[in-house]
Amino acid sequence: MIRLSVVLPVYNEVENLPRLLEALATTLQGTQTPYEIICVDDGSQDGSTELLRHLAQTRCDLRAVLLRRNYGQTAAMAAGFHAARGEVIVTLDSDLQNDPQDIPRLLDKLAQGYDLVSGWRRERQDATVTRLIPSRIANWLIGWVTGVRLHDYGCSLKAYRAELVADLNLYGELHRFLPALAYIEGAKIAEVEVLHHPRLFGRSKYGLDRTFRVLMDLLTIAFMKTFLTRPMHVFGFFGLGAIGAGLGLGIYLTCLKLFLHQSIGSRPLLFLAVMLLLGGVQLFGFGLLAELQMRTYHESQGRPIYRVREVLGAGLPEVGKG
Ligand code: UDP
Ligand code: MG
């Protein structure tokens, strides 16, 4: 019985991997919990793939999931979640910036009855202008939009209950919003301060453009949070409101024309009435469509966002192939 699965997305981290696995094994063996480490190779080109291939054959605590190409961190994490068999899943970066020593404290917190425990890199070791400031703003915005108040959304070191992860569908680069998505699913979320180290080997895979991607993803999340279950409540409300106002104005103008014989053809009010009617009908129709769309969204789940080439190690069935 495996209780703990540690999921590591790996993209060109050949120098970090051996050190990281060493540190992980030391910490995890100390916890006396049956564990597995799942390395998801996200199409590395620097030899990480070959290293993992080798390690998966020699270590009994390691499974390697090799993706066919570079799909991005979110897909790599999703593949890891899919392969994980533990009751608890811990994720961290494979670049040694997160410290495995923090895992037991996350697990303790999780055991207090939380579904998700997120790390908070209080003393973060990244460049100030390009990383820390955008991240400050992003954290504040995300907290404000989603209603989940965390200090540090970007920290990869997190612990989850497996059944929570099973409910989450990841797309695009939404791994940063896992706490927000979990919150939409009704999870109890806590935060724990963790260590953070500068990157010693390899390079960061992200640049400044990440800020904009995060903003776009945030819009998606805000939209999902509002509309996921009842789009008609929002669109229908505004649609009917606009239709009502348009009709009222139209009736008023018709009365002016019929009973007071005024000319209404050039009145701005007439245009407003027409616009409101048309806009209202469209909003209403859009709400209905969104409602159908959301049904499809909810009912057609179970499609992975990645394709696994092969799964190595521990003689287990292949995961998500096809
Ligand atoms: N990563 C990945 N696929 C990618 C980009 C990154 O699996 O396309 C992994 C990477 O190997 C690392 C983690 O995601 O383990 C975080 O990446 P990185 O350290 O570059 O991000 P940063 O710490 O700079 O935010
Ligand atoms: Mg990093």
Side-chain angles (χ1 to χ4, degrees), residues 245-261:
L247 269 181
L249 284 177
I251 292 169
Y252 166 71
L253 289 170
T254 313
C255 290
L256 288 185
K257 173 84 186 168
L258 287 182
F259 303 119
L260 302 176
H261 307 294

Side-chain angles (χ1 to χ4, degrees), residues 8-13 40 42 70-73 76 92-95 97 121 124 126 131 154 156 196 199 203-206 210:
L8 306 167
V10 177
Y11 183 48
N12 295 344
E13 309 282 5
V40 183
D42 188 17
N70 179 243
Y71 284 93
Q73 194 180 344
L92 69 162
D93 283 351
S94 43
D95 57 359
Q97 290 200 268
R121 297 165 292 176
R124 204 172 145 186
D126 281 317
R131 304 296 300 274
S156 305
H196 194 239
R199 199 186 238 280
R203 299 175 40 211
S204 171
K205 313 305 182 291
Y206 299 102
R210 161 156 64 181

Side-chain angles (χ1 to χ4, degrees), residues 121 124 128-155 176-177 180 208-219 221:
R121 297 165 292 176
R124 204 172 145 186
T128 314
V129 179
T130 50
R131 304 296 300 274
L132 298 194
I133 292 172
S135 133
R136 265 277 161 98
I137 300 173
N139 282 320
W140 179 82
L141 264 179
I142 298 171
W144 179 61
V145 169
T146 62
V148 197
R149 300 280 171 188
L150 291 183
H151 290 93
D152 187 6
Y153 277 89
C155 183
R176 292 189 195 92
F177 296 90
L208 255 184
D209 60 322
R210 161 156 64 181
T211 316
F212 300 100
R213 295 162 189 268
V214 170
L215 282 180
M216 291 305 132
D217 282 344
L218 185 61
L219 287 179
I221 293 282

